[in-house]
PDB file of all heavy atoms in Angstrom:
ATOM      1  N   VAL W 135     -23.375  11.152  -1.250  1.00 96.00           N
ATOM      2  CA  VAL W 135     -23.354   9.689  -1.253  1.00 96.00           C
ATOM      3  C   VAL W 135     -23.881   9.151  -2.584  1.00 96.00           C
ATOM      4  O   VAL W 135     -23.308   8.211  -3.155  1.00 96.00           O
ATOM      5  CB  VAL W 135     -24.176   9.135  -0.076  1.00 96.00           C
ATOM      6  CG1 VAL W 135     -24.315   7.617  -0.187  1.00 96.00           C
ATOM      7  CG2 VAL W 135     -23.532   9.505   1.249  1.00 96.00           C
ATOM      8  N   ASP W 136     -24.954   9.735  -3.093  1.00 96.00           N
ATOM      9  CA  ASP W 136     -25.484   9.303  -4.387  1.00 96.00           C
ATOM     10  C   ASP W 136     -24.433   9.474  -5.489  1.00 96.00           C
ATOM     11  O   ASP W 136     -24.267   8.607  -6.359  1.00 96.00           O
ATOM     12  CB  ASP W 136     -26.739  10.111  -4.740  1.00 96.00           C
ATOM     13  CG  ASP W 136     -27.953   9.688  -3.931  1.00 96.00           C
ATOM     14  OD1 ASP W 136     -27.884   8.629  -3.271  1.00 96.00           O
ATOM     15  OD2 ASP W 136     -28.960  10.419  -3.959  1.00 96.00           O
ATOM     16  N   ARG W 137     -23.718  10.587  -5.430  1.00 95.00           N
ATOM     17  CA  ARG W 137     -22.728  10.884  -6.467  1.00 95.00           C
ATOM     18  C   ARG W 137     -21.571   9.883  -6.430  1.00 95.00           C
ATOM     19  O   ARG W 137     -21.177   9.335  -7.467  1.00 95.00           O
ATOM     20  CB  ARG W 137     -22.214  12.312  -6.287  1.00 95.00           C
ATOM     21  CG  ARG W 137     -21.220  12.758  -7.363  1.00 95.00           C
ATOM     22  CD  ARG W 137     -20.974  14.255  -7.294  1.00 95.00           C
ATOM     23  NE  ARG W 137     -20.503  14.674  -5.978  1.00 95.00           N
ATOM     24  CZ  ARG W 137     -21.224  15.358  -5.098  1.00 95.00           C
ATOM     25  NH1 ARG W 137     -22.474  15.707  -5.389  1.00 95.00           N
ATOM     26  NH2 ARG W 137     -20.717  15.709  -3.927  1.00 95.00           N
ATOM     27  N   ILE W 138     -21.039   9.617  -5.234  1.00 95.00           N
ATOM     28  CA  ILE W 138     -19.894   8.706  -5.148  1.00 95.00           C
ATOM     29  C   ILE W 138     -20.326   7.270  -5.419  1.00 95.00           C
ATOM     30  O   ILE W 138     -19.571   6.482  -5.997  1.00 95.00           O
ATOM     31  CB  ILE W 138     -19.194   8.835  -3.774  1.00 95.00           C
ATOM     32  CG1 ILE W 138     -17.758   8.295  -3.862  1.00 95.00           C
ATOM     33  CG2 ILE W 138     -19.944   8.103  -2.683  1.00 95.00           C
ATOM     34  CD1 ILE W 138     -16.855   9.113  -4.731  1.00 95.00           C
ATOM     35  N   ALA W 139     -21.563   6.904  -5.034  1.00 95.00           N
ATOM     36  CA  ALA W 139     -22.063   5.559  -5.318  1.00 95.00           C
ATOM     37  C   ALA W 139     -22.131   5.324  -6.822  1.00 95.00           C
ATOM     38  O   ALA W 139     -21.748   4.259  -7.318  1.00 95.00           O
ATOM     39  CB  ALA W 139     -23.437   5.366  -4.679  1.00 95.00           C
ATOM     40  N   GLU W 140     -22.603   6.309  -7.545  1.00 94.00           N
ATOM     41  CA  GLU W 140     -22.675   6.192  -9.002  1.00 94.00           C
ATOM     42  C   GLU W 140     -21.280   6.064  -9.613  1.00 94.00           C
ATOM     43  O   GLU W 140     -21.066   5.278 -10.537  1.00 94.00           O
ATOM     44  CB  GLU W 140     -23.392   7.416  -9.570  1.00 94.00           C
ATOM     45  CG  GLU W 140     -23.596   7.361 -11.075  1.00 94.00           C
ATOM     46  CD  GLU W 140     -24.393   8.536 -11.609  1.00 94.00           C
ATOM     47  OE1 GLU W 140     -24.806   9.399 -10.790  1.00 94.00           O
ATOM     48  OE2 GLU W 140     -24.604   8.597 -12.831  1.00 94.00           O
ATOM     49  N   GLN W 141     -20.312   6.803  -9.076  1.00 94.00           N
ATOM     50  CA  GLN W 141     -18.957   6.777  -9.622  1.00 94.00           C
ATOM     51  C   GLN W 141     -18.268   5.433  -9.417  1.00 94.00           C
ATOM     52  O   GLN W 141     -17.445   5.031 -10.241  1.00 94.00           O
ATOM     53  CB  GLN W 141     -18.128   7.905  -9.002  1.00 94.00           C
ATOM     54  CG  GLN W 141     -18.520   9.284  -9.507  1.00 94.00           C
ATOM     55  CD  GLN W 141     -17.733  10.390  -8.832  1.00 94.00           C
ATOM     56  OE1 GLN W 141     -17.507  10.363  -7.620  1.00 94.00           O
ATOM     57  NE2 GLN W 141     -17.320  11.370  -9.602  1.00 94.00           N
ATOM     58  N   VAL W 142     -18.574   4.748  -8.321  1.00 94.00           N
ATOM     59  CA  VAL W 142     -17.927   3.453  -8.071  1.00 94.00           C
ATOM     60  C   VAL W 142     -18.761   2.282  -8.579  1.00 94.00           C
ATOM     61  O   VAL W 142     -18.371   1.125  -8.394  1.00 94.00           O
ATOM     62  CB  VAL W 142     -17.611   3.261  -6.567  1.00 94.00           C
ATOM     63  CG1 VAL W 142     -16.734   4.377  -6.044  1.00 94.00           C
ATOM     64  CG2 VAL W 142     -18.887   3.129  -5.737  1.00 94.00           C
ATOM     65  N   GLY W 143     -19.897   2.557  -9.227  1.00 93.00           N
ATOM     66  CA  GLY W 143     -20.690   1.496  -9.829  1.00 93.00           C
ATOM     67  C   GLY W 143     -21.669   0.821  -8.902  1.00 93.00           C
ATOM     68  O   GLY W 143     -22.004  -0.356  -9.112  1.00 93.00           O
ATOM     69  N   LEU W 144     -22.152   1.529  -7.877  1.00 93.00           N
ATOM     70  CA  LEU W 144     -23.168   0.982  -6.970  1.00 93.00           C
ATOM     71  C   LEU W 144     -24.541   1.503  -7.358  1.00 93.00           C
ATOM     72  O   LEU W 144     -24.696   2.697  -7.658  1.00 93.00           O
ATOM     73  CB  LEU W 144     -22.864   1.375  -5.518  1.00 93.00           C
ATOM     74  CG  LEU W 144     -21.654   0.720  -4.863  1.00 93.00           C
ATOM     75  CD1 LEU W 144     -21.379   1.372  -3.515  1.00 93.00           C
ATOM     76  CD2 LEU W 144     -21.872  -0.777  -4.683  1.00 93.00           C
ATOM     77  N   ASN W 145     -25.530   0.643  -7.338  1.00 92.00           N
ATOM     78  CA  ASN W 145     -26.901   1.045  -7.629  1.00 92.00           C
ATOM     79  C   ASN W 145     -27.443   1.860  -6.456  1.00 92.00           C
ATOM     80  O   ASN W 145     -27.517   1.372  -5.328  1.00 92.00           O
ATOM     81  CB  ASN W 145     -27.767  -0.199  -7.864  1.00 92.00           C
ATOM     82  CG  ASN W 145     -29.132   0.148  -8.425  1.00 92.00           C
ATOM     83  OD1 ASN W 145     -29.711   1.199  -8.133  1.00 92.00           O
ATOM     84  ND2 ASN W 145     -29.653  -0.760  -9.236  1.00 92.00           N
ATOM     85  N   LYS W 146     -27.829   3.094  -6.733  1.00 91.00           N
ATOM     86  CA  LYS W 146     -28.308   3.969  -5.658  1.00 91.00           C
ATOM     87  C   LYS W 146     -29.584   3.432  -5.004  1.00 91.00           C
ATOM     88  O   LYS W 146     -29.874   3.763  -3.848  1.00 91.00           O
ATOM     89  CB  LYS W 146     -28.543   5.385  -6.202  1.00 91.00           C
ATOM     90  CG  LYS W 146     -27.280   6.098  -6.653  1.00 91.00           C
ATOM     91  CD  LYS W 146     -27.570   7.526  -7.097  1.00 91.00           C
ATOM     92  CE  LYS W 146     -28.336   7.538  -8.418  1.00 91.00           C
ATOM     93  NZ  LYS W 146     -28.509   8.924  -8.911  1.00 91.00           N
ATOM     94  N   ALA W 147     -30.327   2.612  -5.704  1.00 91.00           N
ATOM     95  CA  ALA W 147     -31.560   2.063  -5.144  1.00 91.00           C
ATOM     96  C   ALA W 147     -31.283   1.067  -4.026  1.00 91.00           C
ATOM     97  O   ALA W 147     -32.188   0.744  -3.243  1.00 91.00           O
ATOM     98  CB  ALA W 147     -32.376   1.394  -6.247  1.00 91.00           C
TER      99      ALA W 147
END
Side-chain angles (χ1 to χ4, degrees):
V135 172
D136 286 348
R137 183 168 57 252
I138 200 67
E140 183 176 359
Q141 288 177 318
V142 303
L144 290 172
N145 191 328
K146 294 184 289 185

